[in-house]
Amino acid sequence: MQTLLIDAKNLLSDLMARYRSQVDYLAIRLEESEGTDILLRADKIETLSQGISLGGQVRACYKGGWGFASFNQLSTLKERVEEAIAAARMVGEEETILAPITPVQDVCSLPLTGTDPRHISLAQKKELCDRYTEILRSLDKRITTTSVRYGDSAQRVILATSEGTILEQSWVDMEMRFAATARDGETVQTGRETTGSRKAYEDLISLDLQVKSAAQRAVDALALPPVKGNSYTVVIDPILSGLFVHEAFGHLSEADMAYENPDLLEVMTIGRRFGPKELQIFDGAAPEGHRGSYYYDDEGTPATTTQLIKDGVLVGRLHSRETAGKLNEAATGNARCLNYHYPPLVRMTNTWIERGNTPVKDLFTDIKEGVYARNWLGGMTNGEMFTFSAGEAWMIRNGEIAEAVRDVTLSGNVFTTLADIEAIGDDFYWDESGGCGKGRQSGLPVGCGGPSLRITNVIVGGEAA
């Protein structure tokens, strides 16, 4: 493999020297990846595979127009370079504007703290999934459907650009997802858990309590009353805070969203107040050890930490080199692609709300009637509107957590909801379960974090009041 990499780097250097004068910008990415995918639904195997892939992509820019070509045969690289250049020259008719970065020549690998999943046999990984399936199925006879999914991926990437960058990066990512559905007559409830790691296979082998909890929540919810739909003061836990900041606000901070939508760009004006003075929101790949962490993005821009909201005011957004150049801002290292089949897009990395100063128990004080929501089942966003389903929830009565309820969905406008944050808890939790989707590139690893939040005027769906 090392000889192949040396030969590949020499080939990329030769191609850059030959073709760089024909375009404003040229980037070639070579990628080797190997991974495992297992899906057990009930007692049936739906997916059980291991595979290795080798391929790459070419991106060329000429007068603001982009050409893209992907390939899985290195012998065709010269032809793919020429195709990408021809496409760029065909559509380019303005000006190429890319925010400047310093070319890098580096070799780096995200360090593992334990066992590499490539050293674990497929049979052992299947046995792990079987064990978790049995935990889900054996909890209660009312469990009717279970699913356990395991996935790992190891990627090694070489990036060369016409500006002089020659970069080699490698990393390993792992994820597991669990779900159990319980039925009692016409009532059906589901419990889910997801976890991931870029550190060690050991992070996935001792999840019995977490798996059991998913099934237990599904069973317990069968006997719970549905929440009465209304507008409430809501306290959400750190997992829901992380989901909220990623889905509802993070995507709006991706500069390609704003650049392509003048109305959104006007709303997302730097200097505009969106939340209380205590609110601080960040995104960045620079913090180590999370699923959205890396050293350089897929354009060779160094990882950074970008503050998006400072003291409640919008102060930053997430960029590729192109969006940063067009908006006359600095590149933030947020150009990412899932693999060589896709061009890099502006994507989040690790997104979080900074912890506050309010003790968590004080978040409930003076709430006459409200809702406490924890964990998540699912959700969706549409522009600035969001709807999330809580994994479990309780009513709050006279400042105390009261009876449990089910079918809790939280809906609203992200900008209104940020303004309605009343208090920010002094706790914090990193959720490493994220797999982000955008532009047909689903499952890109990200991290989310946050503290508990108290928010007024949240629309809580359920039975009509």
Side-chain angles (χ1 to χ4, degrees):
M1 178 62 191
Q2 192 61 37
T3 301
L4 176 62
L5 290 175
I6 293 173
D7 291 343
K9 289 180 180 179
N10 291 334
L11 174 61
L12 296 185
S13 296
D14 292 343
L15 290 170
M16 286 297 168
R18 180 172 180 177
Y19 289 104
R20 64 162 54 97
S21 63
Q22 298 184 25
V23 288
D24 300 323
Y25 175 79
L26 182 64
I28 304 174
R29 170 191 175 109
L30 301 180
E31 177 183 325
E32 180 194 51
S33 64
E34 55 184 302
T36 303
D37 189 13
I38 302 173
L39 173 59
L40 306 184
R41 202 176 302 277
D43 56 352
K44 296 182 179 180
I45 301 172
E46 291 202 0
T47 304
L48 184 66
S49 66
Q50 285 185 318
I52 297 176
S53 66
L54 179 65
Q57 63 173 237
V58 182
R59 298 171 70 222
C61 191
Y62 179 75
K63 291 186 177 181
W66 287 91
F68 177 83
S70 63
F71 58 90
N72 53 23
Q73 290 184 327
L74 194 59
S75 61
T76 67
L77 178 53
K78 176 177 174 291
E79 288 78 8
R80 300 294 84 79
V81 171
E82 292 175 350
E83 286 178 4
I85 290 175
R89 294 181 68 90
M90 186 180 302
V91 299
E93 53 187 23
E94 296 179 358
E95 180 185 4
T96 298
I97 304 175
L98 302 177
I101 62 170
T102 302
V104 295
Q105 297 184 7
D106 199 1
V107 176
C108 50
S109 177
L110 288 179
L112 288 166
T113 60
T115 301
D116 188 323
R118 289 173 289 182
H119 299 158
I120 305 298
S121 69
L122 181 62
Q124 288 176 283
K125 296 170 184 176
K126 167 64 165 49
E127 288 174 4
L128 180 67
C129 294
D130 287 337
R131 190 179 95 221
Y132 290 147
T133 296
E134 183 59 26
I135 292 173
L136 292 173
R137 294 178 57 192
S138 64
L139 182 91
D140 192 283
K141 64 181 181 181
R142 290 168 290 181
I143 297 290
T144 58
T145 305
T146 65
S147 68
V148 173
R149 184 156 207 157
Y150 170 93
D152 63 49
S153 175
Q155 291 176 284
R156 175 176 290 178
V157 172
I158 300 173
L159 175 68
T161 75
S162 54
E163 298 171 329
T165 287
I166 296 286
L167 176 63
E168 180 187 334
Q169 296 193 89
S170 59
W171 60 88
V172 176
D173 187 80
M174 296 157 278
E175 183 179 82
M176 292 202 77
R177 295 178 177 268
F178 317 101
T181 299
R183 177 185 290 272
D184 187 358
E186 297 299 314
T187 303
V188 178
Q189 294 291 309
T190 298
R192 290 191 176 94
E193 286 283 343
T194 304
T195 190
S197 173
R198 284 195 166 186
K199 296 180 180 179
Y201 181 76
E202 285 82 1
D203 290 342
L204 306 182
I205 65 176
S206 300
L207 303 176
D208 298 43
L209 292 179
Q210 192 172 335
V211 174
K212 184 178 180 180
S213 175
Q216 190 68 58
R217 288 199 302 273
V219 171
D220 291 347
L222 292 173
L224 298 179
V227 68
K228 298 295 183 182
N230 210 333
S231 176
Y232 294 98
T233 295
V234 170
V235 177
I236 62 175
D237 79 327
I239 293 178
L240 270 175
S241 292
L243 177 67
F244 169 74
V245 72
H246 173 94
E247 291 288 358
F249 181 76
H251 281 296
L252 296 178
S253 297
E254 293 167 341
D256 55 347
M257 302 279 285
Y259 181 78
E260 296 166 2
N261 184 338
D263 292 336
L264 179 59
L265 185 59
E266 183 177 353
V267 172
M268 296 289 285
T269 300
I270 299 296
R272 180 173 178 176
R273 176 168 293 280
F274 285 109
K277 187 176 181 180
E278 297 75 22
L279 181 64
Q280 323 289 335
I281 298 180
F282 299 85
D283 179 276
E288 296 180 358
H290 304 294
R291 291 189 70 206
S293 303
Y294 48 77
Y295 295 111
Y296 301 91
D297 75 359
D298 289 315
E299 294 182 323
T301 303
T304 63
T305 295
T306 302
Q307 185 156 14
L308 303 174
I309 286 187
K310 180 178 181 180
D311 301 335
V313 175
L314 187 70
V315 295
R317 53 182 136 238
L318 307 178
H319 282 296
S320 66
R321 292 185 62 193
E322 183 178 38
T323 62
K326 289 181 175 179
L327 293 176
N328 196 29
E329 296 175 5
T332 59
N334 285 85
R336 306 180 66 191
C337 61
L338 186 66
N339 54 48
Y340 67 86
H341 295 288
Y342 308 96
L345 301 174
V346 184
R347 306 295 296 270
M348 282 172 280
T349 57
N350 305 299
T351 313
W352 72 95
I353 299 175
E354 191 60 81
R355 75 176 74 233
N357 298 315
T358 303
V360 174
K361 61 181 178 59
D362 292 345
L363 296 175
F364 301 86
T365 302
D366 299 329
I367 299 178
K368 185 176 180 180
E369 184 181 52
V371 174
Y372 174 45
R374 291 179 52 185
N375 214 320
W376 61 274
L377 278 178
M380 62 175 292
T381 59
N382 183 9
E384 61 195 66
M385 306 304 295
F386 67 87
T387 299
F388 300 134
S389 299
E392 51 188 334
W394 296 259
M395 295 304 298
I396 303 170
R397 302 193 187 281
N398 300 315
E400 300 290 339
I401 298 175
E403 75 275 14
V405 290
R406 61 176 170 86
D407 300 339
V408 170
T409 60
L410 312 176
S411 302
N413 175 289
V414 60
F415 302 121
T416 301
T417 302
L418 288 172
D420 285 337
I421 293 176
E422 280 195 320
I424 301 175
D426 61 358
D427 56 344
F428 188 92
Y429 177 77
W430 275 110
D431 182 5
E432 308 293 350
S433 67
C436 181
K438 179 182 177 181
R440 302 188 305 277
Q441 300 187 44
S442 296
L444 187 72
V446 295
C448 304
S452 298
L453 300 175
R454 170 171 163 159
I455 311 170
T456 63
N457 304 315
V458 178
I459 302 300
V460 177
E463 285 192 338

